[in-house]
Each structure stands twice: as structure tokens, then as C-alpha cells.
Amino acid sequence: GQQVMQIPQYQHVQEGEDFTTYCNSSTTLSNIQWYKQRPGGHPVFLIQLVKSGEVKKQKRLTFQFGEAKKNSSLHITATQTTDVGTYFCAGPSGTYKYIFGTGTRLKVLA
Amino acid sequence: GAVVSQHPSRVICKSGTSVKIECRSLDFQATTMFWYRQFPKQSLMLMATSNEGSKATYEQGVEKDKFLINHASLTLSTLTVTSAHPEDSSFYICSAFGGLWGQETQYFGPGTRLLVL
């Protein structure tokens, strides 16, 4: 069945360093979503990418959708302690239904 | 933004009992809600799709008789874990699909932590 993998599984960075997580789908996606889950919290929607090669920015976060629409990335510039959490990508798998990636847990060391 | 609530936020129960978890969309109507399960340090696993006025659609490997889902109104879906056992202990999260036209997405509830003793 459809699989959505993310690498790395864990990432520890010093505050101020950059961070990137990569998302790879076994199937072509019509769109991809990104979520952030703080420790002990629930997933919060960050963004949705739809077009091939699309790049969107939210302050220090840059999201990219691959040309083949099978992969995506999230890049955080100059991480802050508030960026701590797990970042999930999610791809559609039916009407309104999304399959979540394996997630990348980010820890930022002050 | 859209708000989804879950109740209870935390529950401890004895093995063999049933537990009901409510998921409500507070400021929008949701014909479709989803139930997820998340074990510590793992991803969200979709359990089922809850459809208002019809039967839920369960993912492969999820026992429909154990995880009863009812979506009786456009703002409420319930998940009942029947005859709970320790291995059912997990973080259960619901989401409701909605939002502004053309910008619909999933809005997640705060989750329910279930501990079965």
C-alpha cells in the first residue's frame, strides 16, 4: 500500500543552525501537507503544496514540492527553541483521507 | 481558525471496560471526521473515517467491533473502545475536515490519552 517516509527520524541541532526534513511517497501525490506536533500536543496544520515544483515560505520555514510530486521538504532557517517538535508530512489517500509520514523529531539545543 | 474539541483529554480504565471518546467540531460542520491512533514516538495511524449519517470506514487491520464509531450529527463523532485491554493504551486523536471553501483541511482535536490497567 501507499507509504510516506521521512528522513531523518531524529535531528538534534544547535539553536541557530538550519534544519531540513525530507518526505518521500511511494506514489505520486496530488498535494502534500505539513504538520507540526509539539511534545505532548496534537498535530497542527502548517501548509499545503499542490503544484509541481512549488515553493512556499512561512517566515523561517521553506516548503518545497518535488517536480515529480512524490517528494517534499521542509527547511527551517536559524532554528529556535520554539521549533522543537515532530514534523509530519501527509499525502492524500482517498477522499479527504491523508496518510501521515513517519515524522522527523527535532530537538533544538540552546 | 476552526476548533475541534475532544473529551475526555485523559482516561484511565480497568481492563475489560469500555471507553467512549467524543470529538466535536465547535465552529463548523464536518461531514467527515477521522480517528487516529498514535503510540509514543510514532506517527499517526489512521484508524477509520467517520461519515455523518453512515457507517464508518475502517482501515485494514482495525477491528470495527472493537472500535465503534458513531457520527450522529455534523458536529459530533464518538469512538468507543470496547472491552479495552492494556495494548489499547494509546493517544487517540480525531480530526474534522472543514474550513473555508477551497482551503479545506483537517483540524485536529487535542487528543485523548487512554491508559488501560
Side-chain angles (χ1 to χ4, degrees):
Chain A
Q2 181 184 8
Q3 290 187 326
V4 182
M5 306 296 291
Q6 284 181 250
I7 55 171
Q9 189 175 4
Y10 301 97
Q11 184 86 60
H12 292 182
V13 299
Q14 286 292 137
E15 188 174 21
E17 292 182 340
D18 293 354
F19 159 78
T20 304
T21 173
Y22 299 92
C23 173
N24 294 286
S25 169
S26 59
T27 60
T28 302
L29 304 171
S30 58
N31 65 78
I32 195 158
Q33 297 182 343
W34 283 92
Y35 293 81
K36 177 183 178 180
Q37 184 177 23
R38 293 181 185 274
H42 62 277
V44 174
F45 174 77
L46 294 176
I47 208 163
Q48 175 170 290
L49 304 173
V50 179
K51 300 177 183 177
S52 169
E54 186 172 14
V55 178
K56 285 188 176 180
K57 291 189 176 184
Q58 289 180 351
K59 297 182 180 178
R60 294 179 294 104
L61 277 61
T62 302
F63 303 85
Q64 188 168 4
F65 201 7
E67 294 290 340
K69 302 183 79 171
K70 292 184 71 175
N71 56 73
S72 181
S73 65
L74 158 60
H75 179 82
I76 302 178
T77 304
T79 55
Q80 299 175 359
T81 54
T82 53
D83 296 324
V84 164
T86 302
Y87 293 85
F88 293 101
C89 61
S93 178
T95 306
Y96 304 147
K97 193 169 75 169
Y98 279 77
I99 299 298
F100 277 70
T102 47
T104 295
R105 181 172 293 114
L106 173 64
K107 189 169 184 176
V108 180
L109 307 173
Chain B
V3 179
V4 175
S5 71
Q6 267 185 255
H7 178 79
S9 59
R10 192 179 298 265
V11 58
I12 302 173
C13 69
K14 293 182 179 180
S15 185
T17 60
S18 294
V19 175
K20 180 187 282 189
I21 303 170
E22 293 185 348
C23 176
R24 294 182 185 272
S25 57
L26 298 184
D27 51 0
F28 66 102
Q29 293 181 331
T31 56
T32 303
M33 291 185 175
F34 301 94
W35 287 96
Y36 293 85
R37 183 174 179 176
Q38 187 178 35
F39 291 109
K41 298 183 180 180
Q42 293 190 20
S43 184
L44 284 77
M45 298 301 298
L46 180 64
M47 298 174 66
T49 303
S50 174
N51 304 296
E52 188 269 335
S54 65
K55 291 182 179 180
T57 306
Y58 290 83
E59 294 300 302
Q60 192 173 7
V62 178
E63 298 176 57
K64 62 179 181 179
D65 294 330
K66 180 165 185 62
F67 299 100
L68 300 179
I69 292 173
N70 184 277
H71 195 151
S73 78
L74 288 172
T75 58
L76 173 64
S77 175
T78 61
L79 168 69
T80 301
V81 183
T82 62
S83 187
H85 289 96
E87 57 265 30
D88 298 324
S89 299
S90 188
F91 188 44
Y92 292 87
I93 312 174
C94 73
S95 72
F97 190 84
L100 295 175
W101 179 259
Q103 299 176 33
E104 297 94 340
T105 187
Q106 290 189 73
Y107 294 93
F108 283 86
T112 297
R113 296 196 183 278
L114 170 63
L115 176 61
V116 184
L117 302 176

